Amino acid sequence: MNVGVIGTGWCGGIRAVAAARSALVAELHLAEIDPDRLREVAELTTPAGTTTDWMEIIANDRISAVMVSATPETLHYPMAKAALEAGKHVLLEKPMALTLDEADDLIATAEERGLKFTIGYSQRFNAKQAVIKRAIDDGTLGTVTSVLISRHITRSLGAKISSRTKLSPAAMEATHDLDFAFWCLQPRRPVRVYSQNAWGVRAATHGSPDTQYLIVTMDDGTVVTVGAGMSLPPGYPNQSTTWMEVLGTEGAILADASHRDIVLNTVGQGVQFPLSTMPGEYVGEVYAGPMERETTHFLEAVAYDRPVMVDPRLARVTMEVYLAADLSADRNEVVSLPLTPDQIEAALKSA
């Protein structure tokens, strides 16, 4: 099949290389407004076509699947909407939209046209998360009673994200772990959210909190706690560290994804932890992290007409929860789900 990638920055570049290496892809087409970056990714992928106008990807009838990796995040909805209306299968980076109405519109458009539509929640494709999911699904843990996930990214990445969007740590980081937890706990659904911000070095530079903490109560009483921070010091040059705990009536599983198992110590830079799986990186011919496999999964879903792993309806649930978290942090109160239209409007303003 022929595939288009719109936006070839960090994530889009990874997806472009993964697609170029896939035997399922006949032609790869790239759209990127930065000509230098477009040239760089083109040298890595040998695409059939390149353009600085993303609408050329949409208008190309030969392209059947599109990956939307453009920033800022305000572009996600109009680009995905145009691709779906043109009859193309879509992998869209998170967040899937800025409003729930936009998310609902994308879901409806994909379903009406019978198209594959999925969201880039790459943490589902990590091996450690897969082990946790298996332990829940096969009953090893008994009935899960609580999930705790702590994720922190570096100040440099936090600054990069905040320079292009005003979305909160809940929307930009905790969203990955909310999605993973809700996926593991299906068919349970979130019913209450309480959130607090922790302010520090980013208050003066970005007007944003360093960390946001969320406590989510599911409809059976299971508690999901997620902490997402954006102010790690530069010892983590490749962006992220995560700790996970899942407790059940018959057992517990703990997973360390802090990437402290490889230590690089140099005179010039001191101690660093050089390898991250968020979203991953090529190390020679080996890809460390989830995004390459996630990209291949999308291509396989289209080629073989298989279900996508990340159902956009569950991504919509995650979106509603982080909007509720922003409202909770702003008002210092527990927020019940589903959100009312007035609450949604207030949440968007608080973010």
Side-chain angles (χ1 to χ4, degrees):
M1 59 185 167
N2 299 330
V3 174
V5 178
I6 299 176
T8 61
W10 186 16
C11 294
I14 294 170
R15 298 201 190 280
V17 172
R21 295 184 176 189
S22 172
L24 295 174
V25 176
E27 293 182 6
L28 176 66
H29 297 260
L30 306 178
E32 170 59 51
I33 61 172
D34 182 343
D36 292 334
R37 178 58 177 170
L38 181 59
R39 192 177 308 110
E40 179 183 356
V41 177
E43 290 175 356
L44 295 172
T45 59
T46 316
T50 63
T51 179
T52 56
D53 181 1
W54 66 274
M55 284 301 296
E56 291 186 18
I57 300 287
I58 304 300
N60 189 335
D61 292 335
R62 291 171 50 81
I63 295 173
S64 58
V66 171
M67 291 178 267
V68 178
S69 298
T71 57
E73 285 71 15
T74 52
L75 297 173
H76 286 193
Y77 169 71
M79 287 180 171
K81 175 71 170 176
L84 291 169
E85 287 185 333
K88 304 182 190 303
H89 306 283
V90 173
L91 186 160
L92 174 63
E93 306 293 353
K94 60 83 183 168
M96 65 188 298
L98 295 187
T99 70
L100 293 175
D101 285 343
E102 290 177 347
D104 291 337
D105 188 30
L106 293 178
I107 293 168
T109 303
E111 291 180 349
E112 287 168 3
R113 288 164 172 75
L115 297 168
K116 306 293 182 186
F117 176 45
T118 190
I119 312 303
Y121 279 124
S122 56
Q123 294 307 288
R124 295 194 191 191
F125 295 85
N126 270 331
K128 291 180 179 179
Q129 276 85 345
V131 171
I132 291 175
K133 180 73 159 55
R134 183 180 65 186
I136 295 171
D137 289 348
D138 66 14
T140 299
L141 304 183
T143 301
V144 173
T145 57
S146 68
V147 178
L148 169 66
I149 306 178
S150 175
R151 171 184 306 280
H152 292 272
I153 62 173
T154 59
R155 295 181 186 186
S156 59
L157 181 56
K160 182 178 179 179
I161 291 171
S162 296
S163 69
R164 68 174 192 248
T165 181
K166 296 302 182 183
L167 294 172
S168 67
M172 295 304 294
E173 290 306 316
T175 183
H176 284 286
D177 305 302
L178 293 170
D179 167 76
F180 174 68
F182 299 158
W183 181 49
C184 289
L185 295 174
Q186 290 185 103
R188 286 169 275 199
R189 307 283 286 186
V191 294
R192 289 191 303 279
V193 181
Y194 180 69
S195 179
Q196 288 281 275
N197 289 325
W199 297 83
V201 297
R202 287 166 46 84
T205 56
H206 296 95
S208 300
D210 282 19
T211 308
Q212 188 167 358
Y213 293 91
L214 299 80
I215 300 176
V216 182
T217 306
M218 308 300 285
D219 55 8
D220 69 337
T222 302
V223 176
V224 176
T225 304
V226 176
M230 293 179 156
S231 60
L232 275 185
Y236 286 86
N238 288 324
Q239 317 307 344
S240 117
T241 175
T242 306
W243 174 259
M244 296 168 281
E245 300 178 5
V246 180
L247 277 66
T249 55
E250 301 298 326
I253 185 165
L254 315 179
D256 184 347
S258 61
H259 312 300
R260 293 175 294 182
D261 49 340
I262 301 176
V263 180
L264 176 66
N265 194 345
T266 65
V267 173
Q269 299 293 327
V271 173
Q272 292 187 325
F273 306 98
L275 189 62
S276 168
T277 59
M278 180 65 180
E281 61 190 278
Y282 282 99
V283 184
E285 292 300 310
V286 177
Y287 189 83
M291 189 165 282
E292 181 188 51
R293 177 58 197 148
E294 179 186 42
T295 302
T296 303
H297 166 81
F298 171 65
L299 298 174
E300 291 171 346
V302 174
Y304 301 119
D305 193 21
R306 296 172 179 167
V308 292
M309 184 182 290
V310 181
D311 185 329
R313 288 192 174 276
L314 188 56
R316 197 256 192 212
V317 172
T318 298
M319 183 178 179
E320 186 171 21
V321 167
Y322 68 64
L323 287 172
D326 289 338
L327 184 63
S328 173
D330 185 57
R331 295 182 173 181
N332 192 29
E333 64 184 26
V334 175
V335 175
S336 296
L337 300 175
L339 295 175
T340 67
D342 288 345
Q343 286 177 317
I344 294 170
E345 183 178 356
L348 293 171
K349 290 179 180 178
S350 67

